[in-house]
């Protein structure tokens, strides 16, 4: 408990930050839809946000070395707050695309600042417990954040004020903490070829998380917007996102514990298989099982799909030479962002062509292929030596908070 209290300010900042991130991920694309922006352009805005995050992940080691943790976090929060508030003032798609690029960079810098600081400040003996608190707080915020939009129009200025308020408040705990900042890290990023050579299964899994999970999460609110649940609209979208994250919240920690006992790649394969099966069931039977059945399967999908990223990261760290963990983490964030650029575009195209069948069918097939790949890797290369208990922790895929959603083309009709 002493170690947790020492970094409580950092955890609280991330918790507040994730409230804003989860809220913004739903607010921005629905706002563009209300402005009458074409679906393809909204997909472009989503991709630009992911591209900004990728750029931020790649340059964050150098930025952190130049200005330090507190100043980098403060600058990121300030730019993000100003950006989201400016969207209420200038309602033009090109401007929104620019702002989402800047927000992607800012979020990458903020997460790099906090997570590298936690890694330095928390001793090995309690790292698992502290990261468990961090993980739980962040995912709870992702669940709660979208509900601040319930009953509000996506163009209501109060929606943007909520997001800006949380981004501003996230500054306070970190700026006032008495915790000593860690020393500057190495400025050099790890080449992607070297990253893949260290842990190819981790790289493929993280890319899969960006490609499949980001795209599916991006379109879940659009799929549920036409449901009768809670009156439909943003309330139904918020409930759908919350159920997916609750599934992940329940399973993430047990999955991490299990991966300490058996080959982590087998755990990834199992999680991918479960979530892939849930997606296929929605694609095939979503029109006949009703809203309750679909919600159950969405929770099952989240229980698998929203958990394997952390296990992939742990697998990569198991195989990382001493002293290169920060570079590996930055590289994994970069390849996740690369997948998340394509994810909303491909999933949006699949939904445009096939509706719910296209969206969930694509997710199910890709997750199934990921499960098969992990099993093949287990046969090709032995597992790394398991770390001592408490040395590895389930790591939250922080960037998932800033995904975009894309609207359904009016010509598609109701796919629910």
């Amino acid at each position: 408990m002493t170690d947790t209290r020492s970094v409580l300010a950092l955890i609280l900042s991330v918790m507040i930050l994730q409230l804003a991130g989860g809220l913004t991920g739903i607010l921005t694309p629905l706002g563009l839809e209300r402005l009458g922006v074409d679906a393809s352009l909204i997909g472009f805005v989503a991709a630009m946000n992911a591209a900004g995050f990728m750029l931020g992940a790649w340059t964050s080691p150098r930025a952190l070395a130049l200005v330090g943790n507190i100043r980098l976090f403060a600058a990121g929060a300030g730019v993000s707050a100003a950006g989201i508030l400016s969207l209420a003032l200038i309602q033009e798609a090109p401007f929104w695309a620019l702002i989402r690029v800047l927000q992607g960079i800012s979020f990458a810098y903020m997460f790099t600042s906090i997570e590298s600081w936690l890694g330095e400040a928390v001793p090995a003996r309690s790292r698992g417990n502290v990261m468990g608190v961090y993980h739980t707080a962040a995912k709870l915020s992702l669940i709660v954040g979208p509900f601040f939009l319930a009953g509000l129009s996506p163009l209501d200025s109060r929606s943007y004020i909520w997001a800006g308020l949380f981004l501003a408040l996230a500054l306070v705990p970190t700026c006032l903490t008495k915790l000593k900042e860690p020393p500057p890290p190495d400025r050099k990023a790890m080449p992607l070829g070297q990253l893949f050579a260290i842990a190819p299964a981790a790289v493929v899994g993280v890319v899969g998380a960006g490609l499949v999970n980001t795209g599916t999460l991006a379109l879940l609110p659009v799929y549920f917007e036409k449901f009768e649940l809670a009156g439909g609209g943003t309330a139904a979208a918020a409930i759908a996102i919350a159920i997916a994250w609750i599934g992940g919240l329940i399973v993430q920690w047990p999955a991490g514990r299990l991966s300490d006992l058996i080959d982590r790649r087998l755990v990834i394969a199992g999680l991918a298989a479960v979530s892939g099966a849930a997606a296929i069931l929605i694609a095939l039977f979503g029109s006949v099982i009703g809203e309750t059945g679909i919600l159950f399967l969405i929770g099952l999908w989240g229980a698998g799909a929203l958990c394997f990223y952390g296990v992939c990261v742990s697998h990569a760290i198991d195989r990382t030479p001493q002293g290169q963990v920060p570079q590996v983490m930055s590289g994994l964030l970069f390849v996740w962002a690369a997948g998340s650029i394509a994810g909303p575009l491909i999933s949006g195209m699949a939904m445009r062509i096939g509706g719910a069948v296209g969206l969930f069918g694509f997710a199910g097939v890709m997750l199934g292929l990921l499960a098969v790949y992990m099993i093949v890797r287990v046969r090709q290369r032995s597992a790394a030596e398991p770390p001592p208990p408490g040395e590895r922790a389930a790591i939250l895929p922080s960037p998932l908070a800033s995904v975009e959603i894309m609207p359904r083309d009016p010509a598609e009709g109701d796919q629910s």
Side-chain angles (χ1 to χ4, degrees):
M1 290 300 295
T2 301
D3 292 326
T4 301
R5 286 196 297 268
S6 69
V7 296
L8 191 60
L10 305 184
I11 295 174
L12 182 58
S13 281
V14 171
M15 189 174 185
I16 300 172
L17 177 64
Q18 290 286 53
L19 286 171
L23 188 157
T24 304
I26 290 181
L27 172 63
T28 308
L30 284 183
L32 287 170
E33 183 183 26
R34 290 295 178 90
L35 290 173
V37 175
D38 181 77
S40 61
L41 184 56
I42 295 180
F44 174 76
V45 173
M48 289 300 96
N49 178 246
F53 192 95
M54 185 169 65
L55 177 60
W58 190 250
T59 60
S60 58
R62 180 174 180 83
L64 192 58
L66 288 174
V67 302
N69 296 71
I70 291 179
R71 284 187 288 179
L72 185 62
F73 184 89
V79 169
S80 293
I84 193 64
L85 292 173
S86 70
L87 297 183
L89 301 176
I90 304 176
Q91 297 182 343
E92 298 290 340
F95 178 78
W96 283 35
L98 173 63
I99 293 299
R100 292 304 282 160
V101 171
L102 295 176
Q103 287 185 318
I105 296 172
S106 298
F107 267 77
Y109 282 176
M110 286 186 284
F111 284 122
T112 298
S113 172
I114 294 296
E115 292 181 0
S116 63
W117 199 346
L118 284 173
E120 293 284 349
V122 178
R125 67 177 184 273
S126 60
R127 190 169 297 138
N129 289 332
V130 173
M131 290 303 294
V133 174
Y134 168 83
H135 159 83
T136 302
K139 277 198 171 180
L140 284 174
S141 293
L142 287 174
I143 294 171
V144 172
F147 286 96
F148 285 90
L149 291 178
L152 296 178
S153 166
L155 296 179
D156 191 319
S157 61
R158 290 174 294 178
S159 302
Y160 301 87
I161 291 173
W162 274 118
L165 182 151
F166 289 130
L167 286 165
L169 288 178
L171 278 162
V172 178
T174 294
C175 289
L176 295 182
T177 184
K178 297 180 180 180
L179 187 66
K180 184 179 179 181
E181 287 185 274
D186 189 341
R187 299 184 183 186
K188 296 181 180 178
M190 177 176 288
L192 295 182
Q194 182 181 349
L195 178 65
F196 188 81
I198 290 173
V203 173
V204 171
V206 168
V207 170
L211 181 67
V212 179
N213 296 352
T214 302
T216 306
L217 282 172
L219 288 155
L220 273 185
V222 178
Y223 174 63
F224 275 91
E225 192 178 17
K226 304 299 183 182
F227 278 41
E228 296 180 359
L229 178 69
T234 56
I239 291 174
I241 291 292
I243 288 175
W245 280 112
I246 288 172
L249 185 65
I250 293 171
V251 174
Q252 177 78 74
W253 195 250
R257 289 296 185 95
L258 179 61
S259 73
D260 284 337
L261 303 175
I262 65 175
D263 193 316
R264 299 193 198 278
R265 293 167 296 181
L266 291 176
V267 177
I268 297 168
L271 293 171
V274 168
S275 56
I280 291 295
L281 288 173
I282 296 175
L284 296 178
F285 305 110
S287 61
V288 298
I289 61 176
E291 293 186 6
T292 301
I294 292 174
L295 286 172
F296 172 79
L297 290 174
I298 288 297
L300 190 62
W301 173 84
L306 300 182
C307 293
F308 66 78
Y309 178 99
V311 183
C312 290
V313 172
S314 292
H315 172 71
I317 296 176
D318 288 346
R319 298 182 179 276
T320 300
Q322 187 175 4
Q324 293 186 338
V325 171
Q327 286 76 17
V328 167
M329 287 297 298
S330 175
L332 291 177
L333 286 176
F334 179 84
V335 298
W336 178 92
S340 69
I341 291 175
L345 298 177
I346 297 175
S347 295
M349 184 181 302
M351 190 171 187
R352 184 183 182 91
I353 295 172
V357 175
L359 172 65
F360 293 106
F362 169 73
V365 169
M366 295 302 296
L367 290 167
L369 291 175
L370 177 62
V372 171
Y373 177 80
M374 292 298 162
I375 294 173
V376 170
R377 288 301 303 169
V378 169
R379 296 176 63 88
Q380 291 178 341
R381 187 179 183 185
S382 60
E385 289 295 323
E391 285 294 314
R392 304 296 188 204
I395 299 175
L396 174 69
S398 306
L400 290 179
S402 57
V403 297
E404 297 276 3
I405 67 175
M406 295 166 54
R408 189 194 340 268
D409 189 288
E412 292 180 13
D414 186 2
Q415 299 293 342
S416 63

